[in-house]
Amino acid sequence: MKKNNGLKNKNTVMIGLIYVILLGVFNLLVFTIFKNHSNVFWLSYGFMTLAFAVQIVSMFLAFKTADIETAFFGIPLASFSVYYLCAEIVIGALFMIFQQASLTLALVIQVIVLAAFLIVAIISLMARDTVQEIGNNVKEKVADLKMVLVDVEMMRDRCSDPELKEKLRKLSETIKYSDPMSNETVEGVEQRIRRQVSALGAYLDDNQLDEAAQACKELELLYAERNKKLAMSK
């Protein structure tokens, strides 16, 4: 864990150095090429510098999560931030070349470009966060189902009755090879499964073998229902 954090911090520093170099080159070129510094120049320079800052923040927001699936949805934001930076550099450079242009025109155009990017960035972040939330919910449900398998296997190991032990073995196989995904369609079935597993454990503790065998049968039916509903919902 410490090694990963060290590598992450090192990469962050290296990326920061890249941006420092780019900003240094940018400022060197701007103040070397353009000798006349009118209000239009300073306005454009400010928007261009802001574009660099926005791009840095966008990259951080796009890939701040370690989750691979969610990070994938940050790629559009990272791409759009690069497009915005390039567009702003081009627009700003044009206004620096034609500094006799209207200050209002320079302001309006660059504000519109910035506003368009911010709208796209917000939509991209909303989509990314929605995917992350759905992914976390699915992972949580899958983890719950795996815990059910562990509980049934532990019941099988402590069961001394051969016939019931075989039923528990078959049940554990059913659980193991059932569809690992989950969604709202089977939420009710999964709640019944959890209640039935708890009842099965109580029957085993009380040595109620007939009731435990019936619970195994009902769980088999519940998993069959769950798998059918999942298949229909895909």
Side-chain angles (χ1 to χ4, degrees):
M1 186 68 177
K2 291 182 179 179
K3 185 176 180 181
N4 291 337
N5 288 335
L7 180 61
K8 183 177 179 180
N9 291 335
K10 182 180 179 181
N11 290 338
T12 301
V13 171
M14 297 300 288
I15 293 172
L17 286 174
I18 291 173
Y19 278 111
V20 169
I21 293 170
L22 289 174
L23 280 169
V25 172
F26 163 72
N27 280 277
L28 177 64
L29 291 174
V30 166
F31 289 103
T32 300
I33 296 172
F34 302 102
K35 302 299 182 180
N36 183 27
H37 300 159
S38 66
N39 289 336
V40 172
F41 171 88
W42 288 114
L43 177 70
S44 300
Y45 175 78
F47 271 100
M48 293 164 81
T49 304
L50 177 62
F52 273 102
V54 167
Q55 210 277 323
I56 294 171
V57 173
S58 297
M59 293 295 287
F60 172 75
L61 292 175
F63 301 112
K64 69 175 181 178
T65 176
D67 186 277
I68 295 175
E69 294 85 355
T70 309
F72 175 79
F73 285 90
I75 292 175
L77 175 58
S79 300
F80 282 121
S81 68
V82 173
Y83 298 151
Y84 165 65
L85 176 60
C86 294
E88 177 53 44
I89 289 175
V90 171
I91 295 170
L94 287 174
F95 278 112
M96 286 180 175
I97 294 171
F98 302 103
Q99 294 187 40
Q100 67 274 18
S102 168
L103 181 65
T104 302
L105 178 64
L107 176 63
V108 169
I109 291 177
Q110 292 178 91
V111 165
I112 289 174
V113 173
L114 175 60
F117 166 73
L118 291 176
I119 291 171
V120 172
I122 292 170
I123 293 173
S124 179
L125 287 174
M126 289 172 61
R128 200 249 347 244
D129 291 344
T130 300
V131 170
Q132 184 174 17
E133 183 177 355
I134 293 172
N136 290 339
N137 290 337
V138 170
K139 288 178 181 178
E140 184 178 348
K141 290 182 178 180
V142 170
D144 289 343
L145 293 174
K146 289 181 178 179
M147 288 304 299
V148 170
L149 175 61
V150 171
D151 290 342
V152 172
E153 288 180 340
M154 291 178 65
M155 293 177 198
R156 179 198 63 196
D157 293 340
R158 75 171 189 261
C159 179
S160 58
D161 182 77
E163 185 177 348
L164 182 57
K165 194 179 188 72
E166 177 61 18
K167 291 182 182 296
L168 289 168
R169 186 195 67 78
K170 290 181 178 179
L171 177 59
S172 66
E173 290 292 312
T174 298
I175 298 172
K176 184 184 297 184
Y177 296 110
S178 65
D179 194 325
M181 300 307 295
S182 180
N183 57 41
E184 294 180 355
T185 307
V186 294
E187 188 173 338
V189 180
E190 289 172 352
Q191 290 177 357
R192 283 184 282 157
I193 287 173
R194 284 189 284 270
R195 287 196 296 267
Q196 196 63 253
V197 170
S198 297
L200 175 59
Y203 294 145
L204 284 173
D205 292 337
D206 296 337
N207 202 32
Q208 296 177 278
L209 302 183
D210 291 339
E211 288 80 357
Q214 182 61 31
C216 287
K217 182 178 179 181
E218 290 178 4
L219 280 167
E220 293 279 2
L221 294 173
L222 285 172
Y223 270 99
E225 179 184 350
R226 177 182 176 276
N227 290 335
K228 288 179 179 179
K229 286 185 175 180
L230 275 175
M232 291 176 64
S233 65
K234 292 180 179 179

